[in-house]
């Protein structure tokens, strides 16, 4: 049995990860400041004697004897990470320093939840890990993008200088049950709008693209990366589903799958919104023997079901 720390453990991805790690017989500590996370996501785990939930902010040092750390703490939706941009940078950078310091002290293996946002508005398509990215350091997304880029820099330097056992995963757009209904990201927005027959809000003309992976595929990718041997494969490795959609196509698909009467409305495109995004997952396939298994329609139907039940609870 391993003792595993999950920062951001009450969030969307973190809560799925805690469930999976507990089901494999590990002891899990979830750390969260509940900025975007929700106790509801992990309430069913609280009776498990091998699960601990601690209210803590990763910008402050934390100490525990643990074997592994998954560093997920950070708001991920543009609406939430832009709410307090300075805090977002602090969470990424000071959170990484604190967790890397802990990993160094107790000789834990540590995985960083990095992001496709390190590629910014990419000029290379699809994006391989070797691409350095195209990020506006002054733009409204930079608190997140640059914060995550510095976190990667910290990770690789703790490895080089201190031999900390690090892993970096660049996560592409992920969706699934337990996303917050007001999270502000496109999949949750469109599903909630479609289920309520409200206007579907496309930002811009909807020609920008994203590639969406279902959360179960991501969790299996994180697990494969953390447990991959030899340990000197540090990444970064892209984990995402290469099936690419325009945002307009996504809106149409969600309207179809929900049998919705919603109409589409077009709103201004936010500043620096990347025009295209699609992972090159050759490295994950070759090294980790990982590839996504859930088709978009299958994952979307599960997510629609989740939000449908959630909305029935509210109304
Ligand atoms: P989320 O907002 O649901 O989860 C983030 C969690 O971190 C929340 O529970 C939040 O309360 C917590 N948190 C935020 N700041 C904190 C702080 N200072 N101290 C302690 N806890 C804090 O988002 P998510 O989608 O689950 O994302 C999890 C991680 O994965 C993030 O690091 C995100 O950058 C990364 N990621 C997610 C996606 C995606 O599409 N979901 C894509 C790329 C990367
Ligand atoms: N988007 C949209 N309507 C919404 C929410 C998002 O058209 O209600 C667009 C957004 O402008 C972006 C894409 O969908 O082009 C993905 O947005 P999201 O916030 O989910 O993730 P990110 O931009 O970080 O990939």
């Amino acid at each position: 049995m391993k003792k595993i720390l999950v920062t951001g453990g009450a969030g969307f991805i973190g809560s799925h990860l805690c469930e999976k790690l507990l089901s494999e017989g590990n002891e899990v500590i979830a750390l969260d400041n509940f900025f975007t996370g929700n106790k509801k996501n992990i309430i069913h785990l609280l009776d498990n004697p091998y699960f601990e939930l601690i209210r803590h902010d990763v910008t402050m040092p934390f100490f525990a004897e643990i074997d592994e750390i998954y560093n997920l703490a950070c708001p991920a939706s543009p609406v939430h990470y832009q709410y307090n941009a300075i805090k977002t940078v602090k969470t990424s950078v000071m959170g990484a320093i604190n967790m890397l310091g802990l990993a160094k002290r107790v000789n834990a293996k540590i995985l960083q939840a990095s992001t496709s946002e390190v590629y910014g508005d990419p000029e290379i398509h699809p994006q391989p890990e070797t691409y350095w990215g195209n990020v506006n350091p002054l733009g409204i997304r930079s608190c997140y993008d640059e914060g995550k880029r510095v976190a990667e820099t910290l990770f690789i330097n703790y490895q080089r200088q201190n031999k900390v056992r690090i892993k970096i995963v660049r996560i592409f757009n992920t969706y699934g049950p337990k996303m917050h209904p007001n999270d502000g990201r496109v999949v949750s927005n469109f599903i909630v709008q479609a289920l309520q027959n409200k206007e579907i809000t496309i930002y811009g003309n909807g020609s920008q693209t994203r590639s969406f992976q279902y959360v179960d595929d991501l969790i299996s990718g994180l697990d494969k990366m953390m447990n991959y041997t030899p340990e000197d494969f540090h990444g970064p490795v892209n984990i995402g589903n290469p099936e690419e959609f325009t945002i307009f196509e996504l809106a149409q698909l969600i309207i179809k799958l929900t049998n919705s009467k919603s109409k589409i409305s077009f709103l201004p495109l936010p500043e620096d919104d990347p025009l295209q995004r699609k992972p090159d997952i050759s490295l994950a396939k070759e090294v980790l023997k990982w590839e996504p298994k859930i088709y978009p329609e299958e994952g979307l139907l599960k997510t629609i079901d989740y939000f449908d039940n959630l909305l029935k609870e509210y109304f």
Side-chain angles (χ1 to χ4, degrees):
M1 182 185 270
K2 287 186 282 195
K3 287 192 217 105
I4 304 178
L5 178 65
V6 179
T7 76
F12 158 51
I13 295 171
S15 57
H16 284 275
L17 184 62
C18 289
E19 272 176 10
K20 154 108 171 148
L21 296 171
L22 284 167
S23 74
E24 289 170 345
N26 300 294
E27 221 173 291
V28 175
I29 304 174
L31 267 193
D32 210 294
N33 71 349
F34 300 108
F35 173 48
T36 51
N38 194 331
K39 247 189 207 169
K40 261 191 156 179
N41 286 340
I42 32 129
I43 204 149
H44 57 295
L45 304 177
L46 292 177
D47 286 341
N48 187 327
Y50 297 109
F51 181 69
E52 273 172 81
L53 172 64
I54 300 177
R55 183 183 290 266
H56 181 83
D57 193 306
V58 290
T59 60
M60 304 291 172
F62 176 79
F63 184 77
E65 290 292 342
I66 30 97
D67 305 304
E68 288 177 358
I69 306 170
Y70 288 84
N71 189 35
L72 270 59
C74 187
S77 152
V79 181
H80 291 127
Y81 69 63
Q82 287 164 24
Y83 173 76
N84 185 344
I86 297 167
K87 178 68 195 244
T88 299
V89 178
K90 285 186 182 170
T91 295
S92 270
V93 177
M94 293 162 72
I97 291 171
N98 287 328
M99 289 306 129
L100 285 160
L102 172 59
K104 180 181 165 193
R105 189 165 166 186
V106 300
N107 189 27
K109 201 168 14 164
I110 178 166
L111 181 148
Q112 168 66 356
S114 190
T115 168
S116 50
E117 282 286 317
V118 299
Y119 302 122
D121 191 4
E123 292 151 318
I124 290 183
H125 196 71
Q127 295 80 53
E129 291 83 352
T130 47
Y131 178 48
W132 293 352
N134 176 35
V135 173
N136 171 4
L138 303 177
I140 56 171
R141 296 175 84 103
S142 62
C143 56
Y144 183 73
D145 301 7
E146 299 288 20
K148 289 282 186 179
R149 286 167 68 97
V150 173
E152 286 198 8
T153 306
L154 285 162
F155 267 68
I156 207 66
N157 282 294
Y158 267 77
Q159 196 285 317
R160 280 195 196 116
Q161 269 176 248
N162 297 319
K163 304 290 167 251
V164 173
R165 298 178 295 144
I166 66 134
K167 305 272 176 182
I168 300 172
V169 174
R170 291 185 179 151
I171 303 172
F172 281 66
N173 295 60
T174 306
Y175 70 93
K178 294 189 186 174
M179 289 183 95
H180 197 283
N182 297 326
D183 179 83
R185 280 179 279 188
V186 68
V187 174
S188 45
N189 271 10
F190 285 4
I191 292 179
V192 170
Q193 290 162 346
L195 286 171
Q196 298 179 316
N197 294 311
K198 290 186 175 161
E199 282 193 348
I200 305 276
T201 55
I202 288 187
Y203 304 156
N205 62 13
S207 64
Q208 71 271 38
T209 70
R210 294 292 187 275
S211 308
F212 300 97
Q213 78 180 322
Y214 187 66
V215 63
D216 289 1
D217 281 330
L218 168 65
I219 298 296
S220 96
L222 295 179
D223 179 57
K224 287 207 168 180
M225 182 58 170
M226 182 63 112
N227 295 303
Y228 182 79
T229 49
E231 277 189 1
D232 63 0
F233 177 63
H234 305 297
V237 62
N238 290 338
I239 296 287
N241 189 326
E243 196 167 335
E244 188 180 8
F245 287 83
T246 67
I247 294 305
F248 188 75
E249 286 166 345
L250 178 74
Q252 287 176 312
L253 179 58
I254 289 177
I255 289 173
K256 187 182 102 187
L257 295 177
T258 49
N259 285 318
S260 175
K261 297 188 186 67
S262 291
K263 300 273 173 274
I264 291 177
S265 70
F266 294 91
L267 301 175
L269 187 69
E271 190 184 313
D272 290 340
D273 200 290
L275 288 180
Q276 51 181 1
R277 183 181 294 151
K278 170 180 168 158
D280 177 335
I281 57 165
S282 316
L283 187 66
K285 277 184 173 167
E286 186 195 319
V287 179
L288 303 179
K289 311 290 176 228
W290 175 90
E291 61 184 316
K293 296 206 161 52
I294 315 266
Y295 291 105
E297 296 211 358
E298 187 187 348
L300 284 172
L301 284 170
K302 289 184 189 188
T303 312
I304 289 166
D305 200 42
Y306 168 78
F307 279 115
D308 198 24
N309 288 324
L310 196 73
L311 292 175
K312 280 180 191 141
E313 263 178 51
Y314 281 124
F315 301 105

